[in-house]
Amino acid sequence: MIRKIAIVGNGEVAEAEAGVIDAADFVIRFNDCRSYGAGGGRTDAVAVCNTGRPAKAMLGSPQWRAHAGVVSAREIWSVRDPEKFAAMRAPLAVSHPDLDDFCDDYTDEFTAFCAATGKRHIVIGRSVHDAVDAALLAFAPAPYVVPSSGLIVIAEVLNTYAGAEVMLAGFGHVGWEWHPFAAERQLVDHYIAAGRLTRLGGNTLD
């Protein structure tokens, strides 16, 4: 039974948190598993951007495929619903023409990778993404393209493992300019105040 889940972002993780992360029943890392090592080693799932340049880079990288975190993971979570992102292509061509490959879909390639390596492939559905967009509205986000992978994974975990203790580490809420990080920080803090999440090292915003 999964009682404790650690969601470990690619931000800074304190050395003292590594043991707590590794002691969780289920550990989720992201993309190239930058948290691996300093942020512990246990990796049960790797959440990946399955569209655009990040997906293409990971799938084309022997180093990614051989990474200890990726190898040890039992599951790969694709955070972008293919149908939703296909529908976004035409509007983005007008609003953000520089993101011409943002919606290129590599879900099938991740499915093939999982089949070849004995992993389970989970594609997070558009209903989760849509619910996150709706939740962010309460915090008046600046114009954005999509929520971060971290927030999508948080929502999926809260939905799927409602009775588990969910811990966050390595979440600085900074990065790509078209993620709504200020609103995401507020939403995560709301979940913490409601007792649905904790931040390792304390519940203050980092």
Side-chain angles (χ1 to χ4, degrees):
M1 183 177 178
I2 296 177
R3 294 185 176 88
K4 290 188 177 183
I5 298 173
I7 305 175
V8 190
N10 283 329
E12 185 176 350
V13 180
E15 185 177 342
E17 296 169 359
V20 180
I21 291 167
D22 282 346
D25 299 311
F26 196 79
V27 178
I28 306 166
R29 302 183 194 273
F30 291 86
N31 290 325
D32 55 2
C33 298
R34 273 177 275 163
S35 64
Y36 189 94
R42 177 166 185 164
T43 309
D44 298 285
V46 178
V48 298
C49 289
N50 50 304
T51 70
R53 296 167 204 172
K56 185 177 182 180
M58 282 183 280
L59 289 163
S61 168
Q63 292 80 10
W64 181 81
R65 292 170 178 265
H67 189 286
V70 175
V71 170
S72 65
R74 304 192 308 272
E75 300 177 355
I76 299 293
W77 291 18
S78 288
V79 303
R80 294 176 171 175
D81 180 275
E83 290 186 3
K84 182 173 184 67
F85 277 72
M88 290 171 58
R89 185 182 293 276
L92 279 177
V94 176
S95 63
H96 296 78
D98 54 315
L99 300 181
D100 57 320
D101 58 353
F102 184 75
C103 296
D104 290 355
D105 182 47
Y106 294 89
T107 306
D108 288 346
E109 287 83 349
F110 280 109
T111 297
F113 169 73
C114 288
T117 54
K119 303 181 191 301
R120 182 184 181 202
H121 187 206
I122 294 170
V123 181
I124 298 177
R126 68 181 303 159
S127 63
V128 175
H129 188 134
D130 291 345
V132 168
D133 282 332
L136 285 167
L137 286 176
F139 304 99
Y144 68 95
V145 173
V146 290
S148 69
S149 297
L151 196 61
I152 298 294
V153 167
I154 289 170
E156 174 72 6
V157 167
L158 292 178
N159 288 341
T160 305
Y161 301 98
E165 176 187 345
V166 183
M167 306 174 289
L168 302 183
F171 275 75
H173 305 293
V174 294
W176 189 50
E177 63 179 317
W178 294 117
H179 291 322
F181 281 119
E184 290 193 11
R185 182 188 290 269
Q186 291 176 283
L187 180 57
V188 168
D189 210 36
H190 170 75
Y191 289 147
I192 289 170
R196 302 186 70 190
L197 299 171
T198 59
R199 289 186 195 269
L200 291 183
N203 285 339
T204 57
L205 293 174
D206 49 17

